[in-house]
Each structure stands twice: as C-alpha cells, then as structure tokens.
Amino acid sequence: MRRRGGSESLSVARGELRDGMRVEWDVPIVMDDGQVLRADVFRPPEGRHPVILSYGPYAKGLAFQDGYPSAWQRMIAEHPDVAYGSSNKYQSWEVVDPEKWTPHGYACVRIDSRGAGRSPGYIDHFSPRETQDFYQCIEWAGKQRWSSGKVGLNGISYYGINQWHVASLQPPHLAAMCIWEGAADWYRDMTHHGGILCTFWANWYDMQVKTVQYGLGERGPRSRVTGQLVCGDETLPDKELAANRSDFGDEILAHPLDDDYHKARSPRWEKVTVPFLSAANWGGQRLHPRGNFEGFLRAASSQKWLEVHGIEHWTHFYTDYGRTLQLRFFDHFLKGKGDWAAQPRVQLQVRHVDKFVERHENEWPLARTEWTKMYLHRDGTLSSGAGLESATVTFDALGDGVTFVSEPVASETEITGPLEARLTVSSSTSDADLFLIFRVFTSDLREVTFMGAIDPHTPVAQGWLRASHRKLDSKLSQPWRPYHSHDEVQKLKPGEPVALDIELWPTSIVVPPGYRLALTVRGRDYEWQKSTGARLSNFKNELRGCGPFLHDDPRDRPTAVFGGRTTLHLGESHLLLPVIP
C-alpha cells in the first residue's frame, strides 16, 4: 500500500499580518513516524497565549461557505450574529472563527489530519494512529514560543468525537476541552444503533472526506484566502488516492459486534480526567447526543459540565450564545479568570413546541424525575394501567409498524431525560430489528416534529435494538438506560417470546395540555413523510425524518431474516418516561 508524502520537505511556513492577526500557513508538524502534518496558526501579533486547537479531516483551507453552502446560508439568514463582527474569510466547517477568538487573547490552530487537506498520509478515521497524531499535535502546540503552554480543544462533531479519544491518552499540555455535539462510543453512538448497522459513515466518507483527500491537488478546490490548493500540491491518480485511504464502510460492516476494532476507536472513560464542557443537541438523535450525556456521566473528570440545546447542530456553536459560553469556559481553565466557577453543572435549553427556555440544574438525570411507566394496549392506546398478559399485536417487520397513543394530557407535562422501553417480542424468523419512536401529537393528531441537528422534521426521541443483541451489561445498565454488551449474537427461536430492554436517547419536551404522547414500534427507519424535498449539499439522501442516519444496508438486514412478522406480547410491555414535576 503506497503512502505518499511521508518524507515531504519541511518547507518554512508562510507568515503574515492580516485582519489584526499574525497568520502562519501550512506550519509543518512532524509525527513520530516521520509523517508531516500541516497546520494553520492564527494568533495575536505579540506575546504568548493559550491555544484553541482542532484536528480533523475537513480541510483547513476550505471555507465554510464553499464546502457547505446550504448550511452557511441558512445559518447566517436566521442568526445574523454569526456573521456580524467578522470578515468571515477564515470561517471553516465546525471549527472556531479565529477573527472572533484572537481578540480575546487566544491562538487558534487548525490541523489537517493525516491524509486529508494539505496533510499527506493514509486516512484511517478515529484509529489509534490518528489519535496518537492528535496527541502529538497538542504537545507540539503546548511547546511553541507563542504558546502559554495551555491547550484547549474545541469543535463540532468530528472535532468533538476525537477529543474524547485523545483525552484518554492524557496529553500533558491539554488543559480543557469543549465537546460540541461529539459522539463517543464508536459502536453504540455511531456505527451500530442497538446493534443495527448505520450506513451514514459510508456515505459521509464519499461526500465529506474523499472530496478533500490529500492528493486531489488540481482536481480539488482552492482556498478563497490564499489561493492554495486545498488538497495539497500533488495531483495523484484515483488508484493511488484509493490506496491511501481505508475502505471505511466495508471495515465497519466487517465488525458487527463491539470488538477490538470498535474499542480502539472509543474513549476509556476512566482515563478522561481533563476539565470539559459537553454540549449536546436534543435533536441530534442517531449520532451526537448520546456521547455527550455518557461522557458527562461516566468520565473520571471531577470538573465537567453539561449543556443541551436545540436546532441545527452547527448553529449554536457560532452564535453569540454558544461562543460566549465557550469563552467563559476557556477563560477559566486556560487563563484563570472569569465567572465560570459559579456555573451550575447542567445548563438546559428545555424544549417546548415553539421555543426553548433556559434552566440550570445540578445533575443528570434530574434528581426530582418521576419515572413513569406507560403500558401498551391491544387497542393501540398508551396508558398508565397494565394491559392483558395474553394480548398480542403483530405487524410486518418492514412495514409501518404499530403506534400506541395516549389520551390527551390534562396539564402541561415536561419530559426531560433518558427513556427506556421494556418489550416482550417474538418473530416469525430468527431475528428482528426494533425501531422505537417517541412522538407527540396535537389534539387533532398532527405530529409535532422539530428542526433537528440535521433533519428539519425530527421526532422527539428514538431508540433501536436488534433482538439477537438483547444481552445486557449488568454493571453499566441502569433502570433508565439499559446498556447492551453487543459481544455475542443470541438468535431467536421463531414464535418464542423474549424480553427486550431498549434504550431511547435522552430528550426534552414540554407537552401542552390536550396534546397526546405516542410510541411507534416498527422494523425500519422512521419517516415523517415519503417525500419532503429537504436536502443539504453534503448529504446524498432526501431528509425524511432521520437525516442521513439510515439503517438500509441489505447485507446487514437480509429480508429473509428481518422481513418477517414481529409480534408484541403486551401485558407488561411498557415505556418508561422521565416526567419532571
């Protein structure tokens, strides 16, 4: 396998003063195996300053406006504070705008990860090699003459996910990190929801990584600021490009259980001791929020905070709301100043059907939660009374499933926290995939959906489980959050019922009087509508309720196994809700 660029010349970085910053382009950082990575550094003209660092594959030289035009246009149209106070020339996807950080006395470092943008090498996302690169970049930044020696990590999504991983290695110069909508567990959060393969990563690889791989050269974009080729000065043939990257989708498919491949790409919570702010999105179902909540609960750090918001997953990172929160956090841990010490441990933007209301809490889940069971009934209702033990409902596994709907709620009802369902299930085949959707309907039965992290019609909460993956980890499971081992397959015997404990990811909704709660149980992805016309430039599929996070690979879900008939044995089958009094 050929890996070009390992002995690339350590050319001197170009530096200049512009827009009130000292900027150095393409600064070389040499890894322990000789590979050279490239960084852009934006810093105040004089002095030593703490560093805000990001490391990832989206190409540091590609402007947000050029790489993700539909997301950019929506964001600045609805949130003009994002664009205000900056020339926006240095805006890049999912990392900080240096024009808004250097005036506060921070150096901003952006690094193209191995094999992406202007950094040569072999692409292997979230691998131990990539995490080790990230570690070495942090240590490099902490030792530069313009650095105070304190490094903070900040960024969205990929730039948050890999923070959990590198924190497990405990870099000495890492002083704080802000994980903005960053998943953590490579298996449970990202590649296999409830043991069911998610095809997102294979499609993401095509749309957001291969398009900025090092070696595209003249076939790739140019920086609107420097005129440099975003993907390196070499233009390599397709065969060589393919040889310089992993077969990402097929590698994930080849690991259907939570094996060493997945564990090597997941954090070790007992090693995550650095102070952090974990920022989740209620609407990030199917990718980001679970990791933010799990990190807050399980990481060993004694100094950790949780924030949860809504709307698109890139927006609040850039709004005055999000940026001010981040600055307060980093000012405390990187500069030793400000009022962050008084910040409550949990800050929630509690979701209503038409707004968000900020509230501070001291823990998660909330200590005053009234855990409330609602039972499934044969007539399609959802109520607080248990059903008949002998009652069953059967549905086509690849059809629309069944929906259980409550009576109208008598008064305003807040549901904030993780959800759990206990279902007794049998199948006409040797397995079954369960897709659970917690929904809210108006009094006239119109579904209430939200602008999610990506999809504009996101339901309130979702959960998944492959019946053959029902084995629980008794040490990590909680009554409100079952934790599945995913280390062996326990096939079903056709027609024989089994009990399943299913995790639905945390959510928040204040339900108005007269509205109804509902739980849908089906064997395929939720759809708000068959067609919506909603699309984003960086995804292949139309957005129909689940964004790009689909479970539709026939190699993982052969019809002979997952296209049978699924029976719910009602009786004690129920949904556990976190009701806040």
Side-chain angles (χ1 to χ4, degrees):
M1 186 176 293
R2 193 177 183 194
R3 304 181 183 184
R4 288 284 290 270
S7 59
E8 183 179 287
S9 171
L10 295 185
S11 57
V12 177
R14 296 184 299 110
E16 55 184 324
L17 279 171
R18 55 187 304 160
D19 297 309
M21 304 179 289
R22 181 166 295 281
V23 185
E24 294 174 273
W25 308 105
D26 264 1
V27 179
I29 307 176
V30 184
M31 299 295 100
D32 58 354
D33 63 352
Q35 185 69 67
V36 179
L37 306 184
R38 293 289 175 174
D40 290 343
V41 179
F42 306 83
R43 55 189 175 88
E46 303 294 338
R48 295 161 62 90
H49 303 278
V51 179
I52 301 295
L53 186 145
S54 55
Y55 169 99
Y58 294 141
K60 60 184 174 59
L62 181 64
F64 194 137
Q65 304 93 313
D66 297 336
Y68 302 84
S70 54
W72 174 258
Q73 290 300 326
R74 179 186 175 93
M75 181 168 63
I76 63 169
E78 298 190 8
H79 302 275
D81 54 316
V82 171
Y84 182 76
S86 172
S87 72
N88 299 299
K89 289 186 295 189
Y90 310 99
Q91 289 272 15
S92 288
W93 178 245
E94 299 190 333
V95 295
V96 301
D97 177 3
E99 283 189 275
K100 290 190 174 183
W101 283 78
T102 54
H104 293 277
Y106 288 96
C108 299
V109 178
R110 295 175 177 167
I111 303 162
D112 281 337
S113 58
R114 186 179 293 234
R118 292 185 62 82
S119 291
Y122 183 78
I123 298 177
D124 190 6
H125 295 297
F126 305 119
S127 65
R129 175 67 262 178
E130 191 176 79
T131 303
Q132 184 57 229
D133 287 349
F134 196 2
Y135 175 103
Q136 292 179 36
C137 289
I138 293 166
E139 291 306 289
W140 172 88
K143 297 173 183 176
Q144 298 306 297
R145 56 179 174 76
W146 38 260
S147 170
S148 71
K150 291 190 174 183
V151 178
L153 306 179
N154 199 10
I156 312 173
S157 191
Y158 199 108
Y159 299 102
I161 295 167
N162 60 10
Q163 292 182 46
W164 295 123
H165 302 166
V166 78
S168 300
L169 301 182
Q170 301 182 342
H173 286 88
L174 177 58
M177 57 185 192
C178 174
I179 307 96
W180 201 273
E181 301 188 38
D185 188 310
W186 183 230
Y187 189 90
R188 292 164 185 80
D189 297 356
M190 294 181 267
T191 68
H192 291 77
H193 298 130
I196 308 167
L197 177 70
C198 181
T199 55
F200 166 72
W201 290 100
N203 294 325
W204 165 86
Y205 201 41
D206 290 341
M207 299 294 287
Q208 293 184 233
V209 177
K210 292 179 183 178
T211 52
V212 290
Q213 184 180 354
Y214 177 88
L216 282 175
E218 294 285 354
R219 293 186 289 165
R222 285 186 180 271
S223 165
R224 61 166 53 192
V225 177
T226 66
Q228 280 186 308
L229 292 165
V230 166
C231 302
D233 296 328
E234 291 185 283
T235 303
L236 304 179
D238 287 341
K239 185 176 181 180
E240 195 160 343
L241 290 173
N244 283 341
R245 61 179 184 249
S246 66
D247 294 324
F248 201 45
D250 285 346
E251 282 190 4
I252 294 169
L253 177 70
H255 295 273
L257 297 176
D258 186 20
D259 58 12
D260 289 343
Y261 167 82
H262 288 279
K263 288 180 169 60
R265 290 160 173 79
S266 297
R268 295 175 59 190
W269 293 120
E270 74 279 6
K271 297 289 187 180
V272 179
T273 57
V274 64
F276 66 80
L277 169 61
S278 178
N281 188 322
W282 301 121
Q285 301 284 325
R286 295 172 173 249
L287 183 57
H288 289 307
R290 185 182 185 278
N292 287 107
F293 289 105
E294 286 287 298
F296 179 72
L297 285 168
R298 296 178 59 196
S301 175
S302 62
Q303 299 183 87
K304 51 187 177 180
W305 286 261
L306 175 69
E307 185 274 345
V308 197
H309 53 271
I311 66 176
E312 307 96 338
H313 94 112
W314 53 83
T315 299
H316 268 317
F317 182 80
Y318 294 99
T319 62
D320 287 348
Y321 165 78
R323 188 171 51 84
T324 300
L325 192 73
Q326 297 158 38
L327 277 167
R328 289 178 53 231
F329 171 75
F330 283 117
D331 277 352
H332 177 76
F333 286 104
L334 302 189
K335 294 183 175 183
K337 69 176 191 178
D339 63 351
W340 187 263
Q343 175 75 11
R345 286 303 173 108
V346 177
Q347 178 169 308
L348 306 179
Q349 298 294 331
V350 176
R351 185 166 61 179
H352 294 242
V353 296
D354 58 351
K355 62 184 177 182
F356 293 90
V357 177
E358 185 169 302
R359 190 172 74 214
H360 292 102
E361 301 284 352
N362 297 313
E363 73 287 312
W364 181 268
L366 306 187
R368 64 184 183 281
T369 301
E370 295 178 352
W371 298 102
T372 304
K373 289 182 179 179
M374 298 196 75
Y375 292 87
L376 286 57
H377 297 270
R378 185 165 52 189
D379 62 359
T381 58
L382 187 67
S383 73
S384 58
L388 300 172
E389 282 199 29
S390 60
T392 62
V393 174
T394 300
F395 59 91
D396 290 329
L398 296 181
D400 291 330
V402 292
T403 299
F404 302 87
V405 184
S406 76
E407 291 294 316
V409 299
S411 59
E412 184 176 84
T413 303
E414 179 183 340
I415 297 167
T416 296
L419 291 76
E420 182 264 356
R422 162 59 75 95
L423 302 180
T424 301
V425 173
S426 62
S427 173
S428 63
T429 70
S430 61
D431 213 339
D433 284 346
L434 280 297
F435 292 69
L436 272 58
I437 306 97
F438 177 59
R439 307 162 79 178
V440 170
F441 290 89
T442 63
S443 56
D444 57 352
L445 295 178
R446 288 177 293 113
E447 185 174 9
V448 178
T449 59
F450 300 91
M451 178 65 240
I454 292 175
D455 199 292
H457 301 103
T458 300
V460 179
Q462 298 182 71
W464 312 263
L465 185 64
R466 177 160 288 174
S468 61
H469 285 233
R470 62 190 177 276
K471 178 183 173 184
L472 292 171
D473 183 321
S474 59
K475 292 182 179 179
L476 293 175
S477 289
Q478 301 285 350
W480 41 265
R481 195 286 318 277
Y483 193 96
H484 296 90
S485 303
H486 297 297
D487 59 0
E488 66 173 304
V489 174
Q490 299 176 336
K491 289 290 188 181
L492 303 181
K493 294 179 181 178
E496 184 173 305
V498 296
L500 308 179
D501 294 282
I502 304 175
E503 172 188 10
L504 284 80
W505 288 8
T507 193
S508 175
I509 179 63
V510 177
V511 184
Y515 281 48
R516 298 171 185 258
L517 311 179
L519 178 70
T520 295
V521 182
R522 53 196 275 152
R524 61 186 177 92
D525 287 310
Y526 164 86
E527 286 183 349
W528 180 69
Q529 286 185 175
K530 294 294 183 184
S531 181
T532 65
R535 291 186 176 274
L536 284 172
S537 56
N538 52 311
F539 298 122
K540 293 179 180 180
N541 63 294
E542 185 178 20
L543 307 179
R544 298 187 293 178
C546 293
F549 308 109
L550 302 177
H551 305 82
D552 55 2
D553 191 326
R555 296 172 297 176
D556 180 66
R557 307 188 69 220
T559 303
V561 177
F562 296 101
R565 300 270 290 168
T566 302
T567 298
L568 300 178
H569 300 258
L570 302 177
E572 291 298 311
S573 290
H574 65 263
L575 174 67
L576 183 67
L577 295 175
V579 176
I580 308 303

